[in-house]
Amino acid sequence: MSYNVLLSAGNSFCPYIKHSMIITPKTTGRAFFFRKKWLVIFTVFLALAGGMYFYQAFGSGNVFKRNSSGLTSNGKDTVVNKDSLISEAPATLDTAKYDKLLLALNNGDSSGRWPVKLQYPLPGAIFPFYRVVAYYGNFYSKKMGVLGEYPTDTMFRKLQAEVKKWEAADSSVPVRPALHYIAVTAQGYPGKGDKYRLRMPFKQIDSVIRMAARINALVFLDIQVGMSTVQEEVPMLEPYLKMPQVHLGIDPEFSMKTGKKPGSVIGTMNDSDINFTIKYLSNLVKANQLPPKILVVHRFTQAMIRNYKAIKPNPQVQVVVDMDGWGAKERKLTTYREYVSKEPVQFTGFKLFYKNDYREENSSMMTPAEVLKLKPKPVYIQYQ
């Protein structure tokens, strides 16, 4: 029983204690007896509650730290366990299991492109040992994704229901839930610095961190640079990226190198943008002795990622190219085959839209079983 449960029980029990201690002329002896009995019970209750509190605070290995953004890792309703933050990183990597799971992701692909031949990741790598199922969005808009559309408890129920579907569809790979929060949003107006992007306040990101800790979920912070750059925006999130459970997403769709407003044309990123981000994350992993970071790069057109062959994942950073298009199933499958499967970087992802996938006639959202027929199988699944 936790301290909060004991305290709640005590609050509801106190009126009965108070009532039992009332003394009347006819029952002085009995009242004294009951008063003495309830005083003993109440004292025992306080001792138990106090003991549980100090055990949680100091004796159970929980983290009570404030980072440079001002976030306290055990928020109002959250206690963050140190081991869970490190994603239960083992001391060594099981390379035999890694090879076996990586081969299974090929799913019978005979093109020779998969798996991508790279160095083994550091111990604690998420992929290919897990599949990640993420909810995407922003708290300021109900239209940007499911993460900002529903109250927290409703959102968690929906996310956990999707996790169970994926576990049932592929029992060979455990699933990690994740919250994928748009921390920098592209804008249709210049804003401060004429960058056409808006950085979310740290208190909003803090809220995401606390929410995710409730279900031991990973966190992805997503960047839409507008007319800014990853070189300018990624370092702004360093206090969070130093946390072992926090990963990164970058969205070339809103990287406006031509100077046109976000939303007017589809943007692009070069290999140099992505390699800068990989190197930055890699340095954080080395300096802070972290498990490998995940970098999600969204894509649904050819031009969104230029010179993919020059992108260099490393043991510190696992790169996922995420098929980000919406619409009819056949279009999504074609996009995946042409722009993700045919241009391999390291791992693949697939995005599902609760609303947009139904916008075209006779279209619907793909099921986990349908997505798992892809070659290679995606390791990262995002719902918007």
Side-chain angles (χ1 to χ4, degrees):
M1 183 180 293
S2 71
Y3 168 73
N4 290 334
V5 173
L6 284 170
L7 189 58
S8 175
N11 288 337
S12 62
F13 201 53
C14 279
Y16 296 98
I17 296 173
K18 182 178 179 181
H19 178 74
S20 71
M21 291 173 65
I22 296 175
I23 300 174
T24 66
K26 294 182 181 180
T27 59
T28 303
R30 272 189 310 173
F32 176 77
F33 171 77
F34 280 109
R35 176 171 58 181
K36 189 173 182 180
K37 182 180 75 171
W38 289 117
L39 280 172
V40 171
I41 292 173
F42 191 58
T43 301
V44 172
F45 159 76
L46 288 177
L48 286 170
M52 289 299 295
Y53 174 79
F54 283 104
Y55 173 76
Q56 282 193 342
F58 303 109
S60 60
N62 294 321
V63 179
F64 286 80
K65 274 199 241 182
R66 184 175 296 275
N67 64 36
S68 57
S69 70
L71 170 68
T72 303
S73 60
N74 63 315
K76 183 178 178 181
D77 59 355
T78 303
V79 176
V80 182
N81 185 275
K82 181 178 179 181
D83 292 333
S84 69
L85 286 181
I86 301 175
S87 300
E88 300 165 357
T92 59
L93 184 80
D94 187 339
T95 55
K97 185 176 181 180
Y98 180 93
D99 291 338
K100 180 180 178 181
L101 291 171
L102 201 63
L103 186 61
L105 288 177
N106 276 16
N107 204 21
D109 176 74
S110 58
S111 66
R113 291 186 288 264
W114 301 93
V116 181
K117 296 177 177 60
L118 296 167
Q119 291 177 276
Y120 286 115
L122 295 181
I126 297 293
F127 303 131
F129 302 103
Y130 295 89
R131 178 169 285 109
V132 172
V133 173
Y135 264 11
Y136 173 92
N138 180 277
F139 292 148
Y140 286 138
S141 173
K142 293 185 177 182
K143 296 181 179 180
M144 294 181 74
V146 65
L147 183 56
E149 187 174 357
Y150 298 99
T152 301
D153 289 342
T154 302
M155 180 273 293
F156 278 150
R157 284 195 297 271
K158 289 176 69 67
L159 174 57
Q160 289 170 327
E162 298 295 358
V163 166
K164 289 179 180 178
K165 291 178 185 177
W166 282 94
E167 289 174 336
D170 184 3
S171 60
S172 66
V173 181
V175 177
R176 291 292 302 268
L179 303 183
H180 195 123
Y181 186 70
I182 313 169
V184 182
T185 63
Q187 302 291 304
Y189 53 89
K192 188 176 180 180
D194 294 334
K195 299 292 187 179
Y196 286 83
R197 58 93 176 96
L198 178 65
R199 294 169 178 162
M200 296 299 103
F202 278 177
K203 65 180 181 180
Q204 290 282 13
I205 303 176
D206 292 347
S207 296
V208 178
I209 303 292
R210 287 193 292 268
M211 286 169 59
R214 286 176 53 183
I215 60 170
N216 193 25
L218 303 174
V219 174
F220 289 81
L221 300 179
D222 207 85
I223 296 176
Q224 301 173 354
V225 299
M227 293 186 194
S228 183
T229 63
V230 291
Q231 290 82 356
E232 183 177 348
E233 299 303 323
V234 171
M236 298 299 296
L237 296 174
E238 182 171 314
Y240 298 101
L241 295 172
K242 286 180 178 179
M243 299 178 179
Q245 81 278 27
V246 178
H247 304 273
L248 186 64
I250 54 177
D251 198 343
E253 179 183 1
F254 301 104
S255 174
M256 314 314 295
K257 295 185 182 300
T258 63
K260 293 184 179 180
K261 292 181 181 180
S264 62
V265 296
I266 295 171
T268 187
M269 282 187 181
N270 303 321
D271 59 289
S272 59
D273 299 314
I274 298 169
N275 282 332
F276 165 84
T277 309
I278 292 171
K279 186 175 180 180
Y280 193 93
L281 292 174
S282 180
N283 288 338
L284 286 182
V285 168
K286 293 175 182 177
N288 296 278
Q289 296 182 319
L290 301 171
K293 291 292 179 185
I294 300 169
L295 174 63
V296 174
V297 186
H298 304 290
R299 185 178 199 181
F300 59 90
T301 71
Q302 186 75 38
M304 282 176 69
I305 297 177
R306 297 189 183 277
N307 200 16
Y308 80 94
K309 291 182 179 179
I311 297 171
K312 302 298 182 185
N314 60 40
Q316 294 80 35
V317 182
Q318 300 191 293
V319 179
V320 175
V321 177
D322 176 43
M323 200 296 294
D324 195 24
W326 59 266
K329 293 179 184 179
E330 195 52 49
R331 182 196 298 175
K332 291 171 73 89
L333 293 173
T334 299
T335 300
Y336 184 85
R337 286 192 293 263
E338 295 298 320
Y339 309 137
V340 179
S341 180
K342 281 188 178 180
E343 298 195 355
V345 175
Q346 186 175 17
F347 295 102
T348 69
F350 202 86
K351 195 164 184 177
L352 298 164
F353 293 78
Y354 282 116
K355 295 182 176 127
N356 285 355
D357 282 350
Y358 287 88
R359 284 176 61 175
E360 298 180 2
E361 188 177 354
N362 298 322
S363 69
S364 61
M365 191 172 71
M366 294 175 65
T367 66
E370 289 174 321
V371 175
L372 288 171
K373 291 179 181 178
L374 293 169
K375 301 179 181 182
K377 295 179 184 179
V379 294
Y380 174 84
I381 306 298
Q382 187 180 95
Y383 286 88
Q384 180 170 340

